[in-house]
Amino acid sequence: MRAVLCTSGGAPGRLVLEKLAASADIEIVGLLRSTRVLSARYGPVRGAWEQLRRSGLRYTCYLGCTMLRGPAVRGLPVLATRDANGAQGLQFVQSLAPDLLLSAFFNQRIVEALAAIPRLGALNIHPSLLPALKGVDPVFYARLRGAALGVTLHRISPQLDCGDIIAQRSLECPEEESVLATTARLYAKGAELLLGSLGSLEAGAPGLPQGAGGEYDSWPRRAQVRALRRKGISLVRLRDLLPRAP
């Protein structure tokens, strides 16, 4: 199965790409990489400034750390863009003729025109047990609220994080683990869910509608970041940024 991966990069994007590249059942034929910072309207400096105003220095630095040690593309066609849904993004995906579009750690909405290009549509890996914890940083909010951790593979729909569920898995993560490490762990598990679902996707499985409930969380405010710190939970640790032992 031919797939295009949409990601912002960093450790989560790298782990998803590594998991899929190691499988003989799927071929990643291109990478659509987001260069957006907070909004398509902003360049990196303005985007970082607006993030700083909303979430504070600690969280803004954490977001910068999430982008380190991104995927090694190894000759893959790559389009880096602030707007994946523009004419250039549509042409890039069409030229690769994928069977599937996969969004993983991607900070852009995928509109219907882009999602409709692949034969089997578009899926998203979301690091929460949907319908709970929709939004941009579900692991942050799960840790803040003491909610269960897990990952969902779902179809992309016009409403963010509301598409039919293909697969879902809860996951126990160490309490001392940072938000970044847990996020990366959940995305890697999401890649495994996709590999285990390829047969049902090829057979046309539509997925199951999400249940009622759940709320959408936007970027955290400074007070929420302070509250997480008071709970003794780290956003990122030094070991998260070091190369893994072979």
Side-chain angles (χ1 to χ4, degrees):
M1 186 178 293
R2 295 167 55 85
V4 170
L5 175 62
C6 304
T7 185
S8 298
R14 185 189 75 249
L15 290 173
V16 169
L17 183 58
E18 287 176 355
K19 289 274 187 183
L20 300 182
S23 171
D25 297 323
I26 192 167
E27 179 188 4
I28 302 300
V29 295
L31 194 70
L32 194 57
R33 186 173 66 82
S34 176
T35 58
R36 179 177 299 187
V37 179
L38 195 64
S39 169
R41 296 173 296 161
Y42 305 145
V45 174
R46 175 68 187 280
W49 170 248
E50 295 296 336
Q51 188 75 65
L52 181 66
R53 291 178 59 193
R54 179 183 178 93
S55 305
L57 180 61
R58 186 177 298 273
Y59 189 84
T60 302
C61 290
Y62 152 71
L63 286 183
C65 290
T66 68
M67 305 313 299
L68 300 177
R69 298 187 61 232
V73 296
R74 300 185 183 90
L76 283 176
V78 178
L79 175 64
T81 178
R82 288 190 208 173
D83 183 12
N85 302 290
Q88 190 179 22
L90 295 173
Q91 183 178 13
F92 176 76
V93 174
Q94 286 173 335
S95 71
L96 298 170
D99 299 303
L100 187 69
L101 191 74
L102 176 67
S103 170
F105 197 63
F106 192 59
N107 63 353
Q108 299 187 34
R109 182 193 295 267
I110 293 175
V111 302
E112 187 175 357
L114 182 58
I117 294 173
R119 179 174 62 89
L120 298 175
L123 301 179
N124 180 51
I125 296 174
H126 186 78
S128 85
L129 297 171
L130 291 173
L133 297 168
K134 301 178 178 73
V136 295
D137 195 346
V139 175
F140 174 93
Y141 288 101
R143 289 299 201 190
L144 180 64
R145 297 166 185 162
L149 294 165
V151 61
T152 304
L153 178 69
H154 68 94
R155 293 195 178 276
I156 289 176
S157 63
Q159 288 183 301
L160 288 174
D161 303 331
C162 292
D164 292 347
I165 293 174
I166 300 298
Q168 190 173 73
R169 184 75 51 81
S170 60
L171 196 66
E172 294 290 334
C173 298
E175 292 185 3
E176 68 276 8
E177 194 169 63
S178 71
V179 172
L180 176 55
T182 297
T183 299
R185 181 193 296 269
L186 291 173
Y187 273 105
K189 180 58 66 174
E192 294 176 11
L193 290 184
L194 172 65
L195 293 174
S197 303
L198 293 178
S200 61
L201 290 170
E202 188 64 61
L208 298 174
Q210 294 188 30
E215 60 184 69
Y216 186 94
D217 292 301
S218 187
W219 298 107
R221 297 287 185 179
R222 293 169 182 254
Q224 293 172 310
V225 177
R226 290 194 295 268
L228 185 77
R229 188 182 182 193
R230 286 195 296 270
K231 295 185 70 170
I233 298 170
S234 298
L235 290 168
V236 59
R237 297 182 187 275
L238 178 61
R239 62 174 173 264
D240 301 335
L241 309 179
L242 299 176
R244 295 176 299 168

